[in-house]
DNA sequence: TTATGAACTGAAAAGGTTTTCAGTTTTCTG
DNA sequence: CAGAAAACTGAAAACCTTTTCAGTTCATAA
């Protein structure tokens, strides 16, 4: 049998209530506090968090629902979220959805059952669209992706702007035939597509977009096709880090080099983008900031539930590297 | 007020006990079961996991304690652990220790308070050394790193063998002056050091080992020093992926290329190791296997607590790439 | 000194489940 | 068809805390 608060109370010659108060740093006479503390030490007492949560109705738990923790963007995000959580003395339950809506709803249900304090969530477009139909009894902050307008707190990159930046960068460097390879599951990919399309039109160029599941395996296949065409484009844009990776792998297979054979640019400043070849031009996202902002929004929402939903939009930063150098 | 099992019971005209039995798939008359199930649907009832855990004394939670989820090795490991956990209907609480012993003990305490079913844990050498002094009331499976011999279940790579493989590979390719850059916090780095040292001696070569905190930032600094020496080695071995990355960054800074300027090999077959330059030779670890094995060991330990501790040792696989090609 | 209020403490209830135990119904056996 | 066994159900206890409420002690002010 493990030692409970009663045992400590007996050992210290006080009531369980007093032990509880010592634990919670409530007001207790110094002498009793002393006795309780040594009793805790002696008995090796460890509070039972399930019991505490049940009685206090505070789970001190936040849920983090992301497509796949192996995507470095979400890895870094999760680390930022966890650091902030543990500072606030909260636990994090991590869920990987694999961009699968049925897993999403299952995890949202789980969050309900855990009675989480709040959730940070990167939804697929499919689930995001129904987000106002669902009714959670915990606050949700969307991250990296947005839901129906004006309904939820969210933290996103200025994706249209970022994609447009990429296009105008390529345009300025002299590229004219610029294709894009975009994910098909997230609002983010959509926004980047819009930014790309508009910017292309503004430059008087014809946009050409390809769509693919946002993972390297699917991207390799798509990239192979694009890169093998005899009318292959002068430049290729990837809508996220995983797709960019797929393209890089396909290029290695086909022994194509950037920018000599084709220019290449994308999103997410992963380590390898600076190391490979002579560097790949990317939009760097302030990933840790995104995580911290999301936690801040979440805490503020918990504090002030009736506050109007807020959208935090952060800017990406263009990291120019050699993959978009003007070809000789 | 949220709806509880009592409300469902009232709605279905049965006792709370019966609702509980329906939930747990115990034996209940079909007709009642039917009524309960519709009552659950109608009321939108979601069980309270804290209450369930408190009463049933099963947390269905496993703890995963790793140095840093951003290390791709642990990212992949965690994904494998979580997949296995959710299949077994368990939650995962993830903890990052940053190789910091005081964070380790704090998280182990937390695991105690969560009354976790078990823990999967990659300890620092410092904490590992005291591991038999600590007494947990949950099973622990060590992963990637080992503790005092014969005390705990663990899943590790055959690190000495793997390091030796790297040395003999380099030797076979004609390299003779081979230095190593090793982490200083884990048993794993120590084992790789031993393997390196022995293999070097066996080849009649003089080992030369450098030590560094196992992160890219520290490794860059150390690598700069080594690579700038006028008597710099013919080949350099990194004891893990983060250190290898640091070396790669330093080489890029100094405009050194492998294998032309110096041969390079290391551990962890991260994506970028195949993409950078003409590829870096590495030992690939069966990371997902390690995670799954750890979960298997954990479940078996829970099943049969008195079983003697077991060590699962997996083999690494040499991925030969151009960074260790014989220099002209 | 006494009244007043503040500070502190303990008994008991409450939080939402599962589980035990005893009782009731149903099924089976002869 | 009687009796025994099996299957099922409900009342109440239990899990371990926190919190409320009332009571006690202590200090302060009049």
């Amino acid at each position: 049998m493990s030692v409970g608060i009663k045992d400590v109370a007996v050992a210290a010659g006080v009531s369980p209530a007093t032990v509880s108060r010592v634990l919670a740093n409530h007001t207790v006479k110094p002498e009793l506090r002393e006795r309780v503390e040594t009793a805790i030490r002696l008995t090796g007492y460890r509070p039972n968090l399930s019991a505490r949560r049940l009685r206090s109705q505070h789970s001190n738990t936040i849920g983090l629902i992301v497509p796949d923790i192996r995507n470095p963007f979400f890895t870094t995000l999760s680390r930022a979220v966890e650091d902030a959580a543990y500072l606030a003395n909260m636990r994090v339950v991590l869920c990987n959805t694999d961009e699968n809506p049925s897993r999403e709803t299952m995890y949202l249900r789980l969050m309900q059952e855990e009675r989480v304090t709040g959730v940070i969530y990167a939804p697929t477009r499919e689930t995001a669209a129904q987000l106002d139909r669902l009714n959670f009894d915990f606050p949700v902050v969307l991250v990296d992706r947005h839901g129906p307008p004006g309904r939820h707190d969210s933290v996103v990159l200025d994706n249209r702007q970022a994609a447009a930046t990429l296009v105008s960068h390529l345009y300025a460097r002299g590229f004219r035939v610029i294709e894009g390879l975009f994910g098909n599951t997230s609002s983010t990919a959509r926004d980047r597509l819009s930014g790309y399309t508009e910017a292309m039109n503004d430059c008087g160029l014809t946009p050409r977009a390809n769509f693919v599941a946002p993972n390297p395996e699917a991207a390799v296949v798509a990239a192979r096709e694009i890169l093998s065409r005899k009318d292959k484009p002068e430049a290729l844009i990837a809508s996220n880090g995983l797709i960019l990776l797929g393209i890089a792998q396909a290029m290695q297979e086909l022994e194509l080099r950037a920018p000599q054979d084709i220019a290449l640019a994308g999103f997410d400043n992963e380590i390898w983008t600076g190391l490979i070849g002579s560097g790949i031009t990317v939009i760097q996202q302030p990933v840790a900031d995104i995580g911290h902002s999301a936690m801040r929004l979440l805490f503020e929402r918990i504090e002030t539930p009736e506050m109007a939903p807020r959208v935090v939009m952060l800017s990406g930063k263009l990291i120019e590297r050699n993959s978009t150098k003007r070809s000789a």
Side-chain angles (χ1 to χ4, degrees), chain A:
Chain A
M1 231 10 240
S2 114
V3 28
I5 205 173
K6 272 187 193 170
D7 307 296
V8 178
V10 170
V14 299
S15 76
T18 299
V19 178
S20 174
R21 283 192 264 259
V22 170
L23 260 41
N25 250 327
H26 287 164
T27 156
V28 169
K29 249 200 204 142
E31 187 218 332
L32 290 195
R33 174 178 296 271
E34 183 71 19
R35 257 158 57 196
V36 169
E37 276 165 354
T38 68
I40 289 177
R41 227 169 300 127
L42 259 50
T43 55
Y45 168 73
R46 285 288 120 209
N48 181 320
L49 292 187
S50 294
R52 174 175 290 177
R53 291 202 257 256
L54 171 59
R55 171 62 232 212
S56 71
Q57 303 285 66
H58 294 306
S59 68
N60 286 336
T61 299
I62 80 133
L64 176 60
I65 308 183
V66 298
D68 188 350
I69 184 75
R70 285 171 300 188
N71 179 340
F73 175 88
F74 291 114
T75 313
T76 305
L77 183 78
S78 97
R79 185 63 214 261
V81 166
E82 282 168 357
D83 285 350
Y86 283 117
L87 276 179
N89 202 25
M90 302 219 141
R91 324 280 153 259
V92 174
V93 175
L94 176 60
C95 310
N96 295 289
T97 68
D98 286 327
E99 309 271 5
N100 177 343
S102 76
R103 287 189 68 152
E104 289 184 278
T105 56
M106 141 180 172
Y107 281 128
L108 288 169
R109 210 195 312 271
L110 175 64
M111 297 299 100
Q112 202 89 248
E113 301 186 354
E114 291 278 4
R115 304 294 192 269
V116 292
T117 311
V119 164
I120 291 184
Y121 177 26
T124 61
R125 276 200 314 130
E126 191 168 335
T127 307
Q130 314 180 326
L131 222 46
D132 42 8
R133 218 159 313 168
L134 276 31
N135 244 32
F136 309 118
D137 35 5
F138 45 77
V140 173
V141 174
L142 301 182
V143 73
D144 177 57
R145 306 170 176 193
H146 60 69
R151 303 276 304 175
H152 293 90
D153 294 310
S154 47
V155 183
V156 294
L157 197 75
D158 188 341
N159 287 305
R160 304 165 68 100
Q161 169 64 41
T165 301
L166 241 29
V167 170
S168 34
H169 168 73
L170 286 165
Y171 186 84
R173 292 280 181 101
F175 299 97
R176 292 296 176 265
V177 185
I178 307 170
E179 282 196 30
L181 189 45
F182 294 91
N184 58 8
T185 58
S186 67
S187 71
T188 291
R190 280 300 167 105
D191 294 342
R192 291 175 188 172
L193 170 64
S194 310
Y196 159 80
T197 307
E198 282 176 24
M200 288 293 282
N201 288 331
D202 289 353
C203 293
L205 304 177
T206 315
R208 176 153 176 190
N210 308 268
F211 300 95
V212 73
N215 62 64
E217 296 72 28
V220 164
V221 176
R224 255 188 228 126
E225 187 275 322
I226 296 170
L227 295 169
S228 312
R229 290 200 310 246
K230 54 176 175 278
D231 65 333
K232 79 169 168 328
E234 299 168 16
L236 193 50
I237 291 178
S239 83
N240 77 20
L242 299 181
I243 293 174
L244 186 59
L245 175 59
I247 297 175
Q249 288 176 320
M251 287 180 64
Q252 189 181 45
E253 264 181 35
L254 301 172
E255 300 188 348
L256 298 174
R257 288 184 307 166
Q260 294 90 329
D261 301 305
I262 185 173
L264 180 60
F267 279 80
D268 296 336
N269 188 26
E270 309 307 341
I271 307 140
W272 59 269
T273 60
L275 249 28
I276 186 178
S278 44
I280 300 178
T281 296
V282 292
I283 297 285
Q284 175 176 42
Q285 301 196 57
V287 191
D289 278 359
I290 293 177
H292 291 136
S293 299
M295 286 297 274
R296 188 169 46 75
L297 253 52
L298 186 57
F299 287 139
E300 290 172 2
R301 166 70 47 200
I302 292 163
E303 194 81 17
T304 320
E306 68 281 0
M307 191 171 40
R310 293 180 298 171
V311 174
V312 171
M313 187 172 277
L314 301 171
S315 297
K317 183 180 164 195
L318 180 70
I319 310 283
E320 301 188 21
R321 297 206 182 95
N322 290 325
S323 69
T324 51
K325 272 251 171 74
R326 171 177 270 116
S327 36

